[in-house]
Amino acid sequence: MERLRTWFESYTAGFYNGDSSVNAHIRLKHDHSLRTEAEILGLATDLNLDEDQKAVARVAGLLHDIGRFEQFSVFRTFNDQASTDHGSLGAQILRLTGALADLDPHVQHLLFMAVHHHNKKHLPVHLSDPERMYCRLVRDADKLDILQSLIHICRTLRQDFDGLDLEMDLPDEPCCTQAILEAVLRGEAVSYSDLRTFNDAILIQLGWVYDVNYTPTFQRIKDRRLPEQILALLPDLPDVRQIGQQVTAYVDEQLVEKPVVG
């Protein structure tokens, strides 16, 4: 773990330069990677995984976004539709750099799969049980940190739009796209290419609860009051209120129906 953390720090440090905006984006993903590692360790512990499984999960959490750094360096955006699929790029980078070369081949494969699939709209049905577990763990841990970070970024944005040194691909308008509202109401996954406003981006992340896998993740969502905090960032519209009620009820249902951890 320490060798891989040293590799991660050395690799990501190479993307900083004299541009404060670039540095802010690199730092954003660097810190997100560390927090995702911490989130995934907490989930793995609550799921009673053994020490080897927890170690693999931690590496997957730390390295899941490794493609983001080259993505932003080359394209100056984190928008996959406008650049490249950062999950696929991340797996390719891990192979090309040999970062995982001294690990057991089976473990390497699990990590490649977790990094490659962590950002996909749906997981493929052919995954083995271990592949699916690590993919789901990364996706859950990733969501937990992004949702918490989103709340902080949005609050900062609303206080000082020009003071946020991060890219904004979407206009910050006081509305939500009707098609996005309807899709989230139906519990459907939404493509990022369909987004029209910054509120749309907030809204679809509220709908992420329908793609959460593990009971400890639902418990953290409830305990941290993430849906309520995100709803407070959105316009007070009837459809938004309905989505909030549905999401809150869904989280509660998962905790009632799955009382056993996992």
Side-chain angles (χ1 to χ4, degrees):
M1 192 70 224
E2 291 310 310
R3 185 193 68 76
L4 285 168
R5 192 184 309 284
T6 299
W7 177 88
F8 171 81
E9 293 292 348
S10 175
Y11 177 80
T12 59
F15 291 94
Y16 291 101
N17 59 31
D19 187 321
S20 62
S21 178
V22 170
N23 293 344
H25 287 83
I26 298 303
R27 174 59 62 183
L28 179 75
K29 291 303 177 183
H30 170 277
D31 294 351
H32 164 66
S33 299
L34 297 183
R35 293 193 302 268
T36 302
E37 179 200 340
E39 292 283 10
I40 206 170
L41 177 59
L43 295 177
T45 300
D46 286 355
L47 290 165
N48 298 314
L49 300 190
D50 64 33
E51 292 304 311
D52 287 343
Q53 290 172 319
K54 284 192 280 189
V56 175
R58 287 182 66 189
V59 175
L62 177 67
L63 301 181
H64 79 285
D65 258 356
I66 201 67
R68 285 298 199 186
F69 303 95
E70 183 172 321
Q71 179 189 42
F72 195 84
S73 178
V74 173
F75 298 100
R76 291 297 190 270
T77 183
F78 290 135
N79 184 332
D80 283 12
Q81 283 70 37
S83 57
T84 188
D85 183 307
H86 76 276
S88 301
L89 177 61
Q92 180 183 12
I93 287 168
L94 291 177
R95 286 189 172 92
L96 291 176
T97 60
L100 308 179
D102 63 348
L103 300 180
D104 178 87
H106 178 61
V107 172
Q108 290 185 48
H109 172 75
L110 292 173
L111 291 168
F112 290 141
M113 294 293 284
V115 171
H116 177 82
H117 289 295
H118 86 272
N119 66 321
K120 303 301 185 282
K121 193 172 181 178
H122 301 289
L123 290 177
V125 296
H126 65 267
L127 295 179
S128 67
D129 288 344
E131 290 169 345
R132 186 174 295 106
M133 181 185 73
Y134 289 112
C135 287
R136 286 176 169 175
L137 278 170
V138 173
R139 289 162 74 93
D140 276 20
D142 193 26
K143 287 180 176 65
L144 283 173
D145 186 64
I146 290 176
L147 291 173
Q148 194 70 62
S149 300
L150 172 73
I151 294 165
H152 171 72
I153 289 171
C154 288
R155 287 173 176 167
T156 303
L157 172 69
R158 298 284 158 77
Q159 292 172 1
D160 181 12
F161 186 89
D162 295 327
L164 190 68
D165 198 12
L166 296 173
E167 63 159 328
M168 288 292 295
D169 287 342
L170 299 166
D172 187 26
E173 298 175 354
C175 61
C176 297
T177 302
Q178 190 61 35
I180 303 296
L181 285 164
E182 293 171 0
V184 177
L185 274 170
R186 293 191 298 267
E188 297 176 355
V190 180
S191 172
Y192 285 93
S193 61
D194 295 332
L195 306 186
R196 298 292 177 265
T197 72
F198 186 58
N199 279 327
D200 291 345
I202 299 173
L203 190 62
I204 68 165
Q205 292 179 55
L206 186 61
W208 277 359
V209 298
Y210 300 115
D211 189 37
V212 167
N213 301 283
Y214 294 111
T215 300
T217 315
F218 283 110
Q219 191 65 58
R220 284 162 172 76
I221 289 171
K222 183 177 178 64
D223 291 346
R224 298 174 189 179
R225 301 183 67 252
L226 296 179
E228 292 90 340
Q229 294 189 69
I230 293 171
L231 280 166
L233 301 169
L234 291 165
D236 185 20
L237 302 171
D239 283 347
V240 171
R241 291 196 295 272
Q242 186 179 349
I243 288 170
Q245 292 168 359
Q246 287 186 191
V247 165
T248 301
Y250 180 77
V251 171
D252 288 340
E253 287 169 9
Q254 302 312 301
L255 293 171
V256 170
E257 294 175 5
K258 301 177 182 177
V260 179
V261 168

